[in-house]
């Protein structure tokens, strides 16, 4: 199926979207979606693969991120140096990232250099050689990356929290893989993952900036000509099943002993899925509770008592579940006091909700962060690619802002009572001998 397909995939992937956004499906199910921004002189192009670390079985643990490295290491047309130098020569930026549910390869260039960026990225994604020597070289690099993460106690605490919440599952395991999984994985296993997941029907080309949609489509068609085949349609967006169970019910304490000067704590529970209507109320509540310097947690823990330098709450979503939690770094001797204050503030908001001022601040923070985060082509491109892979449709910005503005005190109290009141998981990284004291803190 080819051409504009606003109607072809149900009630509109783009229904109600900005008029500058256009979408075309090429043979093989390859999607091209663009947003024209005539006022800028640049463009950002991303090739999104609908595969993340949660799609890995144990045999392929770490393969998604491994591929993110290897696709920069040479194709049938370009060496690794030629890939990087092509973008460097025009002053552009070339990079990639792997998440739990998708992977993105992107380039940011002057608008005149968009054809080059499309060609380089398409070459990387469709023509990687996965040379055995490069697989071995990048194995060492990824092990260094894992070591770097483990050297950061805050990162380690967040990884441990995810493991405690979701268990030994693809969603709970680290995106990078583990030392054991990276040492064990073979070139053939990585190649299997590549062949199975990097197919046109599972790819999205998203671009935003000073561009012409028809030209981007034609350039994409040429660059992907060797892999496009008639008969396939795009893989459906990653959405929760009609009656799928909510995952992420892990509780208890996970302690990682480290001889560090500061305890790093992550306390939280399962949140809400990405498409859950409660996400707007939870976002407002999260902003008011721990989203800035005026938030309750910052005021109570840092400003009034001086117990920590860094404290914040966070809220993230996946297709079928989310995470909500509090991070704090404090002196090891202060951890019990900090956890007691956090538990008390969560209990208060569950019982009484927010004040009028807090509700207004929470809405304002959420609205502002969203709009300010869309002030450049790169963030616009990210919105397009991510929406295509994991949302039912591209929601207009004004529609999202209206839903944030519509959040009421009743909504806040309801989401606090159903989400924040859940049993908690706690991850601790610090110089502690055992977790017994934290088990007691968690039971408050």
């Amino acid at each position: 199926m080819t051409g504009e397909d606003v109607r072809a995939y149900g009630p509109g992937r783009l229904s109600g979207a900005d008029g500058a956004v256009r979408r075309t499906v090429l043979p093989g199910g390859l999607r091209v979606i663009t947003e024209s921004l005539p006022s800028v002189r640049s463009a950002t192009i991303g090739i999104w693969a609908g595969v993340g670390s949660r799609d890995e079985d144990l045999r392929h643990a770490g393969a998604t991120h491994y591929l993110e490295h290897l696709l920069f290491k040479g194709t049938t047309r370009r060496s690794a140096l030629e890939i990087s130098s092509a973008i460097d020569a025009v002053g552009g930026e070339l990079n990639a990232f792997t998440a739990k549910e998708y992977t993105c390869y992107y380039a940011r260039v002057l608008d005149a250099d968009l054809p080059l960026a499309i060609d380089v990225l398409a070459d990387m994604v469709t023509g990687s050689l996965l040379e055995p020597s490069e697989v071995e070289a990048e194995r060492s690099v990824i092990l260094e990356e894992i070591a770097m993460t483990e050297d950061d106690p805050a990162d380690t605490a967040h990884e441990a929290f995810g493991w405690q919440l979701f268990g030994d599952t693809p969603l709970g395991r680290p995106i990078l893989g583990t030392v054991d999984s990276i040492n064990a994985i073979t070139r053939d296993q990585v190649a299997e993952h590549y062949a199975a997941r990097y197919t046109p029907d599972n790819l999205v080309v998203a671009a935003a900036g000073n561009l012409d949609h028809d030209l981007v489509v034609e350039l994409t068609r040429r660059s992907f000509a060797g892999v496009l085949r008639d008969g396939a349609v795009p893989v459906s967006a990653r959405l929760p099943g009609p009656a799928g169970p909510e995952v992420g019910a892990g509780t208890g304490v996970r302690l990682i002993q480290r001889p560090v000067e500061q305890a790093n704590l992550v306390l939280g529970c399962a949140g809400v899925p990405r498409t859950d209507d409660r996400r707007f109320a939870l976002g407002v509540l999260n902003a008011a509770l721990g989203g800035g310097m005026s938030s309750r947690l910052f005021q109570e823990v840092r400003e009034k008592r001086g117990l920590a330098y860094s404290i914040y709450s966070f809220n993230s979503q996946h297709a079928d579940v989310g995470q909500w939690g509090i991070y704090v770094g404090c002196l090891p001797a202060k951890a019990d006091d900090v956890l007691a204050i956090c538990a008390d503030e969560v209990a208060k908001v569950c019982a009484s909700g927010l004040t009028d001022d807090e509700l207004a601040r929470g809405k304002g923070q959420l609205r502002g962060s969203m709009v300010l985060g869309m002030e450049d082509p790169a963030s616009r491109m990210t919105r397009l690619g991510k929406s295509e892979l994991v949302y039912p449709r591209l929601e207009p910005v004004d529609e999202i802002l209206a839903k944030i503005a519509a959040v009421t005190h009743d909504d806040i109290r309801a989401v606090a009572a159903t989400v924040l009141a859940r049993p908690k998981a706690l991850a601790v990284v610090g110089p502690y001998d055992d977790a017994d004291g934290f088990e007691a803190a968690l039971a408050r």
Side-chain angles (χ1 to χ4, degrees):
M1 187 177 301
T2 307
E4 300 286 343
D5 71 318
V6 173
R7 293 177 298 280
Y9 287 86
R13 292 280 324 166
L14 303 181
S15 58
D18 298 341
V21 176
R22 293 178 62 191
R23 179 180 186 267
T24 296
V25 179
L26 294 175
L30 178 65
R31 288 155 284 179
V32 182
I33 182 167
T34 69
E35 183 170 9
S36 176
L37 305 170
S39 62
V40 302
R41 293 289 305 276
S42 67
T44 300
I45 176 81
I47 299 181
W48 294 70
V51 56
S53 61
R54 75 172 303 181
D55 299 305
E56 301 164 350
D57 55 24
L58 285 173
R59 188 168 177 268
H60 297 93
T64 307
H65 175 257
Y66 214 138
L67 277 172
E68 180 205 310
H69 283 239
L70 291 173
L71 265 58
F72 286 83
K73 296 303 176 182
T75 72
T76 54
R77 295 172 51 204
R78 292 179 175 92
S79 67
L81 178 59
E82 288 170 335
I83 288 172
S84 58
S85 62
I87 302 299
D88 285 347
V90 296
E93 174 190 357
L94 181 67
N95 213 329
F97 61 85
T98 305
K100 296 284 188 179
E101 297 182 327
Y102 44 78
T103 308
C104 177
Y105 303 82
Y106 66 91
R108 181 171 177 261
V109 294
L110 297 178
D111 49 15
D113 298 313
L114 185 58
L116 170 68
I118 293 173
D119 187 57
V120 170
L121 286 172
D123 187 26
M124 290 168 52
V125 168
T126 64
S128 179
L129 295 173
L130 307 184
E131 293 281 9
S133 60
E134 295 291 356
V135 173
E136 291 309 310
E138 286 307 301
R139 192 187 309 274
S140 297
V141 173
I142 294 168
L143 291 172
E144 290 289 345
E145 192 174 355
I146 293 172
M148 182 175 65
T149 298
E150 291 179 346
D151 279 346
D152 187 323
D155 286 349
T156 302
H158 280 284
E159 292 279 14
F161 173 71
W163 186 284
Q164 190 68 20
L165 192 62
F166 299 122
D168 186 13
T169 66
L171 194 55
R173 297 179 199 127
I175 291 172
L176 302 183
T178 65
V179 171
D180 288 342
S181 72
I182 295 304
N183 278 325
I185 200 166
T186 67
R187 188 265 177 195
D188 288 345
Q189 289 167 337
V190 175
E192 285 174 0
H193 199 62
Y194 179 48
R197 300 291 184 170
Y198 281 71
T199 55
D201 58 333
N202 202 35
L203 297 175
V204 173
V205 176
N210 189 18
L211 53 79
D212 175 78
H213 177 80
D214 293 333
L215 177 59
V216 173
V217 170
E218 183 55 34
L219 292 169
T220 301
R221 189 194 306 273
R222 293 178 195 170
S223 297
F224 281 84
V227 298
L228 297 182
R229 301 289 185 272
D230 288 326
V233 297
V235 172
S236 299
R238 189 192 295 264
L239 300 172
E246 193 166 25
V247 297
T251 60
V253 179
R254 182 173 177 83
L255 171 62
I256 298 178
Q257 295 176 304
R258 294 281 173 84
V260 292
E261 297 297 320
Q262 187 180 60
N264 290 261
L265 316 168
V266 180
L267 172 70
C269 56
V272 300
R274 185 182 290 115
T275 55
D276 192 310
D277 287 341
R278 296 173 295 172
R279 69 191 184 275
F280 300 105
L282 185 57
V284 172
L285 173 56
N286 180 69
L289 183 61
M293 291 190 294
S294 65
S295 68
R296 286 193 188 186
L297 290 173
F298 192 93
Q299 288 295 312
E300 292 295 327
V301 173
R302 175 170 167 166
E303 293 296 284
K304 292 183 181 179
R305 295 174 176 85
L307 293 175
Y309 174 76
S310 178
I311 181 167
Y312 58 85
S313 62
F314 59 90
N315 175 35
S316 61
Q317 292 94 32
H318 305 300
D320 48 358
V321 71
Q323 294 184 56
W324 178 84
I326 299 167
Y327 166 80
V328 61
C330 64
L331 292 175
K334 304 293 186 181
D336 192 60
D337 291 338
V338 169
L339 287 173
I341 295 168
C342 291
D344 187 46
E345 292 304 319
V346 171
K348 286 179 183 178
V349 81
C350 288
S352 305
L354 301 175
T355 67
D356 289 341
D357 286 345
E358 286 174 327
L359 180 63
R361 283 202 305 271
K363 290 181 181 182
Q365 185 175 336
L366 209 59
R367 289 195 306 264
S369 62
M370 178 188 174
V371 175
L372 292 175
M374 294 179 58
E375 290 294 297
D376 65 273
S379 57
R380 295 270 180 161
M381 181 279 293
T382 297
R383 173 176 174 254
L384 299 178
K386 185 175 177 181
S387 292
E388 183 67 30
L389 288 177
V390 300
Y391 284 102
R393 68 187 182 96
L394 180 64
E395 290 184 284
V397 174
D398 287 346
E399 185 177 309
I400 297 173
L401 295 177
K403 290 179 179 179
I404 294 170
V407 171
T408 66
H409 283 294
D410 287 344
D411 296 330
I412 296 293
R413 284 189 289 267
V415 79
T418 56
V419 177
L420 270 61
R422 289 170 177 165
K424 303 295 189 297
L426 173 64
V428 180
V429 178
Y432 302 104
D433 293 329
D434 60 65
D436 291 347
F438 292 106
E439 293 283 0
L442 196 60
R444 289 189 182 97

